[in-house]
Amino acid sequence: MTGKERMDEGRAEGGRTGGTRSLRTSRRTLLGSAAGLGIASLSGCVTLGPKVSVTGLADSEIFKKVSVSEPWASGRVVASVSFTSTATTESGVRGLTVISSSGTEFDTATVQSGQTKKSIFFPVGKSTLTAVDFDGKTVETVEVAVRGDKLL
């Protein structure tokens, strides 16, 4: 029997001979491609030990502290924003907006009256954090920089 005849026979029997081999090849190809894609997508984008610095925090009547506790970031990091005791009550802060350095909205979060802390995403690099009131008017803005050691 020739190789072609064996493959034709395998197909006629439900693909047991040729089908199994091509299935294994497909799985290997899929897994290899997925691993390669994962490595390529993370390459140069992982930041170890992210730290936050905020310009304007010392004079702020709204923001008390911005901090991160994650050991690494992949293009973005979750930060905890702490407010002054009067931010949500007297100043009426009801929302936060993070604007990336390119000028696009990166993340938003709703703030409740009396809330003293809120988590929000920041991009790695420079951005602007804005507090808005219930009418959507800007109450205060600070500049935020997220930095760390980049993994290539």
PDB file of all heavy atoms in Angstrom, residues 18-35:
ATOM      1  N   GLY A  18      -3.987   9.810   9.689  1.00  0.00           N
ATOM      2  CA  GLY A  18      -3.483  11.126   9.299  1.00  0.00           C
ATOM      3  C   GLY A  18      -4.005  12.220  10.208  1.00  0.00           C
ATOM      4  O   GLY A  18      -3.340  13.199  10.489  1.00  0.00           O
ATOM      5  N   GLY A  19      -5.256  12.049  10.694  1.00  0.00           N
ATOM      6  CA  GLY A  19      -5.886  13.094  11.498  1.00  0.00           C
ATOM      7  C   GLY A  19      -5.202  13.312  12.830  1.00  0.00           C
ATOM      8  O   GLY A  19      -5.031  14.421  13.282  1.00  0.00           O
ATOM      9  N   THR A  20      -4.772  12.238  13.502  1.00  0.00           N
ATOM     10  CA  THR A  20      -4.127  12.368  14.798  1.00  0.00           C
ATOM     11  C   THR A  20      -2.814  13.116  14.685  1.00  0.00           C
ATOM     12  O   THR A  20      -2.516  13.988  15.477  1.00  0.00           O
ATOM     13  CB  THR A  20      -3.883  10.969  15.417  1.00  0.00           C
ATOM     14  OG1 THR A  20      -5.118  10.292  15.471  1.00  0.00           O
ATOM     15  CG2 THR A  20      -3.300  11.089  16.803  1.00  0.00           C
ATOM     16  N   ARG A  21      -2.058  12.796  13.665  1.00  0.00           N
ATOM     17  CA  ARG A  21      -0.774  13.458  13.494  1.00  0.00           C
ATOM     18  C   ARG A  21      -0.957  14.947  13.227  1.00  0.00           C
ATOM     19  O   ARG A  21      -0.268  15.775  13.791  1.00  0.00           O
ATOM     20  CB  ARG A  21       0.010  12.800  12.370  1.00  0.00           C
ATOM     21  CG  ARG A  21       1.352  13.438  12.217  1.00  0.00           C
ATOM     22  CD  ARG A  21       2.156  12.772  11.170  1.00  0.00           C
ATOM     23  NE  ARG A  21       3.399  13.497  11.065  1.00  0.00           N
ATOM     24  CZ  ARG A  21       4.499  13.000  10.630  1.00  0.00           C
ATOM     25  NH1 ARG A  21       4.532  11.757  10.247  1.00  0.00           N
ATOM     26  NH2 ARG A  21       5.576  13.721  10.554  1.00  0.00           N
ATOM     27  N   SER A  22      -1.908  15.306  12.369  1.00  0.00           N
ATOM     28  CA  SER A  22      -2.111  16.723  12.081  1.00  0.00           C
ATOM     29  C   SER A  22      -2.679  17.451  13.300  1.00  0.00           C
ATOM     30  O   SER A  22      -2.410  18.612  13.514  1.00  0.00           O
ATOM     31  CB  SER A  22      -3.016  16.903  10.864  1.00  0.00           C
ATOM     32  OG  SER A  22      -4.313  16.418  11.145  1.00  0.00           O
ATOM     33  N   LEU A  23      -3.440  16.748  14.141  1.00  0.00           N
ATOM     34  CA  LEU A  23      -3.967  17.343  15.361  1.00  0.00           C
ATOM     35  C   LEU A  23      -2.834  17.674  16.324  1.00  0.00           C
ATOM     36  O   LEU A  23      -2.803  18.745  16.916  1.00  0.00           O
ATOM     37  CB  LEU A  23      -4.975  16.404  16.017  1.00  0.00           C
ATOM     38  CG  LEU A  23      -5.684  16.918  17.261  1.00  0.00           C
ATOM     39  CD1 LEU A  23      -6.452  18.191  16.932  1.00  0.00           C
ATOM     40  CD2 LEU A  23      -6.640  15.880  17.792  1.00  0.00           C
ATOM     41  N   ARG A  24      -1.854  16.743  16.464  1.00  0.00           N
ATOM     42  CA  ARG A  24      -0.704  17.008  17.324  1.00  0.00           C
ATOM     43  C   ARG A  24       0.096  18.188  16.798  1.00  0.00           C
ATOM     44  O   ARG A  24       0.533  19.033  17.545  1.00  0.00           O
ATOM     45  CB  ARG A  24       0.202  15.778  17.405  1.00  0.00           C
ATOM     46  CG  ARG A  24      -0.269  14.776  18.381  1.00  0.00           C
ATOM     47  CD  ARG A  24       0.780  13.708  18.596  1.00  0.00           C
ATOM     48  NE  ARG A  24       0.109  12.489  18.949  1.00  0.00           N
ATOM     49  CZ  ARG A  24       0.388  11.306  18.484  1.00  0.00           C
ATOM     50  NH1 ARG A  24       1.363  11.143  17.627  1.00  0.00           N
ATOM     51  NH2 ARG A  24      -0.304  10.256  18.853  1.00  0.00           N
ATOM     52  N   THR A  25       0.288  18.230  15.521  1.00  0.00           N
ATOM     53  CA  THR A  25       1.021  19.345  14.923  1.00  0.00           C
ATOM     54  C   THR A  25       0.280  20.645  15.177  1.00  0.00           C
ATOM     55  O   THR A  25       0.869  21.657  15.519  1.00  0.00           O
ATOM     56  CB  THR A  25       1.211  19.111  13.410  1.00  0.00           C
ATOM     57  OG1 THR A  25       1.877  17.877  13.220  1.00  0.00           O
ATOM     58  CG2 THR A  25       2.002  20.229  12.786  1.00  0.00           C
ATOM     59  N   SER A  26      -1.023  20.617  15.066  1.00  0.00           N
ATOM     60  CA  SER A  26      -1.817  21.822  15.301  1.00  0.00           C
ATOM     61  C   SER A  26      -1.698  22.286  16.752  1.00  0.00           C
ATOM     62  O   SER A  26      -1.582  23.466  17.018  1.00  0.00           O
ATOM     63  CB  SER A  26      -3.285  21.570  14.970  1.00  0.00           C
ATOM     64  OG  SER A  26      -3.430  21.316  13.601  1.00  0.00           O
ATOM     65  N   ARG A  27      -1.732  21.351  17.687  1.00  0.00           N
ATOM     66  CA  ARG A  27      -1.600  21.713  19.102  1.00  0.00           C
ATOM     67  C   ARG A  27      -0.232  22.318  19.381  1.00  0.00           C
ATOM     68  O   ARG A  27      -0.119  23.328  20.058  1.00  0.00           O
ATOM     69  CB  ARG A  27      -1.802  20.495  19.998  1.00  0.00           C
ATOM     70  CG  ARG A  27      -3.226  20.095  20.146  1.00  0.00           C
ATOM     71  CD  ARG A  27      -3.359  18.960  21.121  1.00  0.00           C
ATOM     72  NE  ARG A  27      -4.692  18.388  21.025  1.00  0.00           N
ATOM     73  CZ  ARG A  27      -4.982  17.153  21.317  1.00  0.00           C
ATOM     74  NH1 ARG A  27      -4.043  16.335  21.723  1.00  0.00           N
ATOM     75  NH2 ARG A  27      -6.207  16.716  21.208  1.00  0.00           N
ATOM     76  N   ARG A  28       0.819  21.667  18.858  1.00  0.00           N
ATOM     77  CA  ARG A  28       2.172  22.198  19.048  1.00  0.00           C
ATOM     78  C   ARG A  28       2.307  23.584  18.438  1.00  0.00           C
ATOM     79  O   ARG A  28       2.874  24.478  19.034  1.00  0.00           O
ATOM     80  CB  ARG A  28       3.203  21.255  18.424  1.00  0.00           C
ATOM     81  CG  ARG A  28       3.591  20.147  19.323  1.00  0.00           C
ATOM     82  CD  ARG A  28       4.790  19.406  18.758  1.00  0.00           C
ATOM     83  NE  ARG A  28       4.594  18.004  19.060  1.00  0.00           N
ATOM     84  CZ  ARG A  28       4.639  17.025  18.199  1.00  0.00           C
ATOM     85  NH1 ARG A  28       4.954  17.253  16.957  1.00  0.00           N
ATOM     86  NH2 ARG A  28       4.421  15.796  18.564  1.00  0.00           N
ATOM     87  N   THR A  29       1.782  23.734  17.239  1.00  0.00           N
ATOM     88  CA  THR A  29       1.848  25.024  16.558  1.00  0.00           C
ATOM     89  C   THR A  29       1.089  26.078  17.353  1.00  0.00           C
ATOM     90  O   THR A  29       1.573  27.191  17.548  1.00  0.00           O
ATOM     91  CB  THR A  29       1.263  24.912  15.140  1.00  0.00           C
ATOM     92  OG1 THR A  29       1.986  23.910  14.429  1.00  0.00           O
ATOM     93  CG2 THR A  29       1.350  26.224  14.397  1.00  0.00           C
ATOM     94  N   LEU A  30      -0.087  25.712  17.840  1.00  0.00           N
ATOM     95  CA  LEU A  30      -0.900  26.639  18.620  1.00  0.00           C
ATOM     96  C   LEU A  30      -0.193  27.051  19.911  1.00  0.00           C
ATOM     97  O   LEU A  30      -0.107  28.238  20.236  1.00  0.00           O
ATOM     98  CB  LEU A  30      -2.258  26.010  18.949  1.00  0.00           C
ATOM     99  CG  LEU A  30      -3.190  26.845  19.822  1.00  0.00           C
ATOM    100  CD1 LEU A  30      -3.608  28.102  19.080  1.00  0.00           C
ATOM    101  CD2 LEU A  30      -4.397  26.040  20.227  1.00  0.00           C
ATOM    102  N   LEU A  31       0.332  26.071  20.641  1.00  0.00           N
ATOM    103  CA  LEU A  31       1.020  26.375  21.900  1.00  0.00           C
ATOM    104  C   LEU A  31       2.277  27.208  21.670  1.00  0.00           C
ATOM    105  O   LEU A  31       2.560  28.152  22.402  1.00  0.00           O
ATOM    106  CB  LEU A  31       1.356  25.090  22.652  1.00  0.00           C
ATOM    107  CG  LEU A  31       0.167  24.333  23.239  1.00  0.00           C
ATOM    108  CD1 LEU A  31       0.621  22.998  23.810  1.00  0.00           C
ATOM    109  CD2 LEU A  31      -0.538  25.156  24.281  1.00  0.00           C
ATOM    110  N   GLY A  32       3.032  26.853  20.644  1.00  0.00           N
ATOM    111  CA  GLY A  32       4.239  27.620  20.323  1.00  0.00           C
ATOM    112  C   GLY A  32       3.905  29.040  19.915  1.00  0.00           C
ATOM    113  O   GLY A  32       4.555  29.999  20.322  1.00  0.00           O
ATOM    114  N   SER A  33       2.856  29.198  19.127  1.00  0.00           N
ATOM    115  CA  SER A  33       2.434  30.527  18.697  1.00  0.00           C
ATOM    116  C   SER A  33       1.951  31.358  19.879  1.00  0.00           C
ATOM    117  O   SER A  33       2.254  32.541  19.991  1.00  0.00           O
ATOM    118  CB  SER A  33       1.320  30.422  17.661  1.00  0.00           C
ATOM    119  OG  SER A  33       1.775  29.765  16.515  1.00  0.00           O
ATOM    120  N   ALA A  34       1.186  30.721  20.774  1.00  0.00           N
ATOM    121  CA  ALA A  34       0.676  31.430  21.952  1.00  0.00           C
ATOM    122  C   ALA A  34       1.816  31.883  22.850  1.00  0.00           C
ATOM    123  O   ALA A  34       1.822  33.011  23.346  1.00  0.00           O
ATOM    124  CB  ALA A  34      -0.284  30.541  22.728  1.00  0.00           C
ATOM    125  N   ALA A  35       2.802  31.016  23.055  1.00  0.00           N
ATOM    126  CA  ALA A  35       3.949  31.383  23.890  1.00  0.00           C
ATOM    127  C   ALA A  35       4.734  32.518  23.243  1.00  0.00           C
ATOM    128  O   ALA A  35       5.135  33.471  23.902  1.00  0.00           O
ATOM    129  CB  ALA A  35       4.855  30.181  24.111  1.00  0.00           C
TER     130      ALA A  35
END
